[in-house]
Amino acid sequence: MRYSVISKGMMPAQLESEVKKVGGQDINRTKLLGQVFCELDEEQARILSKVSGLAVKPVKEYRTDQVLTVAQPVETVSDVFNLLRSYFSPPLTGTGLTVAVLDSGIRKSHRSLQGKVVYEANYSGSPSADDVFGHGTQVAFVAAGGLHAQGEKAGVSPGASIMNIKVINDDGIGTDEGIILGIDRVCDLAEEARRKGFHPTDELYPNVLNISFGGEDDGDPDNPVRIACRQASQEYGLDVIAAAGNFGPKMTTITLPACDPEVIAVGAVETLGELLIWEKSSRGPTKQGETKPDFVMWGTNIEMASEDADDRYVTKSGTSFAAPMLSGLTGLLWESGRRAYGESWPFRWVQARQVATYFCTKPQDAAVNKDNSYGFGLPAMGTMLGQLTAAKTPTQQMMETFPMFMMMTMMTAMMGGV
């Protein structure tokens, strides 16, 4: 049976040595995240688990989940974001953002994704990094697909770059091992970019890690994928944004890794109509009692690039597509902030989340504070962007000295609209 052996203070080389001592086979280890994967029988796993400084966990499977829908004859998400970007001069496009898409691969030859994929890696066990199953192409499109042009089908930040990290195989299944190796590689790329002195806006400097799949919440903070996500966020400065899951309206259905407190969990609301939680969007609390999701974004009847042909599009619903909408929004907010406050201005959702009640909107009958359906709510995008790109004032020099989350605190009256 395949196991993950996690460091609990033990050095990686010693970890591997302990695995070899009990007869572990087919050993594979991460470069940065302190985990080793191997084949063990039950007795070997029992003996190894008694060694102090490590934890032994069986490798689990993860799956994507999505709902095919019929395109609705309404204004599209592409239209709305085009109008939002066009409000600014020059238009915002999310330039400088790089989203690492951990998923089923990407059809990078699609007309809306050509030239967007700047790096590829394959940890899925399938022959190539292409999208055979049909999921990662849609996720990449929502975050960064298309061009900024009237009538053009596009995602949120068409000026952003994509890293294609395939961790879901051609049957739509991934494992702890492949997912963690993918996260490890993205962390390594971020570390390499820093070491080379790249600015965070460089296309080979990943900023956001998007995970639009999940497994059942096991309530275990030492779950290997949760540990890897926490390390990516806390040690390597990556916002880890994950789909909440499509298992609503039942409570306690937030999937893993979205259930982890460090991960930004995104649920789905009905698209472009009344602000109403999508019935299938997973609800909290988590098995550890955390209130989740963190935010909601539109997630129904989203038209996206198809994996089947370079000029074809498909319409689907799911929190899988709400998550990359938030990932893409990172690019617009970050770009607008850099314009106003300089290229060194940072943006991270883990910090913004601390004051999210000031910049999110919910239905009037929803809880004012964070709740287990809407989280903090839908980010009031237009108001946030308008505040960040406001004309210079005598107080701006003072504003530039504040941490990002302090500036977010000042964004009041952000209710309604995009």
Side-chain angles (χ1 to χ4, degrees), residues 301-319:
N301 302 318
I302 308 296
E303 188 178 25
M304 301 165 286
S306 171
E307 76 284 356
D308 290 332
D310 292 341
D311 59 353
R312 189 174 299 170
Y313 292 82
V314 64
T315 302
K316 296 179 180 180
S317 297
T319 61

Side-chain angles (χ1 to χ4, degrees), residues 17-330:
S17 176
E18 294 293 337
V19 169
K20 289 178 178 178
K21 281 181 185 178
V22 299
Q25 300 293 316
D26 192 15
I27 298 170
N28 197 4
R29 85 178 195 189
T30 59
K31 182 176 180 179
L32 299 179
L33 300 184
Q35 296 197 36
V36 170
F37 302 95
C38 61
E39 293 288 336
L40 299 169
D41 61 31
E42 287 188 16
E43 180 63 14
Q44 290 169 329
R46 186 187 65 80
I47 294 170
L48 186 60
S49 65
K50 293 182 177 180
V51 177
S52 63
L54 59 79
V56 181
K57 305 284 183 179
V59 167
K60 297 181 179 180
E61 287 189 349
Y62 293 73
R63 294 175 183 267
T64 62
D65 189 33
Q66 56 195 337
V67 180
L68 278 169
T69 55
V70 177
Q72 301 295 310
V74 297
E75 187 177 37
T76 68
V77 169
S78 290
D79 295 331
V80 170
F81 279 105
N82 182 71
L83 287 171
L84 182 65
R85 294 189 302 265
S86 298
Y87 180 79
F88 302 90
S89 183
L92 296 171
T93 64
T95 184
L97 173 70
T98 298
V99 180
V101 174
L102 270 69
D103 217 285
S104 63
I106 297 172
R107 188 184 181 98
K108 61 182 182 291
S109 60
H110 193 281
R111 66 181 299 272
S112 67
L113 294 169
Q114 290 177 8
K116 308 264 187 186
V117 177
V118 297
Y119 179 85
E120 288 187 314
N122 182 9
Y123 300 99
S124 69
S126 294
S128 79
D130 295 338
D131 186 11
V132 174
F133 178 74
H135 191 265
T137 299
Q138 286 86 64
V139 170
F141 173 87
V142 171
L147 301 171
H148 176 74
Q150 184 64 36
E152 182 76 18
K153 298 182 196 300
V156 181
S157 281
S161 298
I162 293 290
M163 289 180 168
N164 175 19
I165 312 296
K166 184 169 179 174
V167 298
I168 300 294
N169 68 21
D170 294 345
D171 296 317
I173 300 170
T175 65
D176 285 343
E177 182 172 358
I179 293 162
I180 292 163
L181 289 172
I183 295 171
D184 185 70
R185 182 59 185 137
V186 176
C187 292
D188 191 30
L189 288 166
E191 188 68 14
E192 183 180 347
R194 291 191 193 97
R195 196 165 53 246
K196 291 180 177 178
F198 291 172
H199 192 273
T201 56
D202 190 279
E203 65 179 16
L204 292 178
Y205 196 135
N207 316 115
V208 171
L209 204 159
N210 190 96
I211 298 177
S212 284
F213 54 84
E216 184 178 357
D217 178 9
D218 56 12
D220 181 8
D222 286 335
N223 176 279
V225 172
R226 287 181 60 177
I227 289 175
C229 288
R230 289 199 297 270
Q231 288 175 292
S233 177
Q234 296 169 350
E235 299 176 24
Y236 296 94
L238 295 157
D239 265 338
V240 182
I241 297 176
N246 302 337
F247 300 100
K250 291 174 64 176
M251 306 298 285
T252 314
T253 51
I254 300 290
T255 55
L256 190 158
C259 61
D260 193 85
E262 188 69 17
V263 174
I264 305 297
V266 186
V269 291
E270 297 287 342
T271 299
L272 303 181
E274 184 180 352
L275 182 52
L276 183 67
I277 193 72
W278 182 45
E279 183 183 14
K280 293 180 181 292
S281 185
S282 287
R283 271 62 159 190
T286 69
K287 289 192 175 177
Q288 286 186 287
E290 293 285 335
T291 301
K292 287 274 186 170
D294 295 293
F295 300 101
V296 290
M297 293 293 289
W298 298 315
T300 61
N301 302 318
I302 308 296
E303 188 178 25
M304 301 165 286
S306 171
E307 76 284 356
D308 290 332
D310 292 341
D311 59 353
R312 189 174 299 170
Y313 292 82
V314 64
T315 302
K316 296 179 180 180
S317 297
T319 61
S320 285
F321 315 116
M325 207 170 286
L326 193 77
S327 294
L329 181 59
T330 308

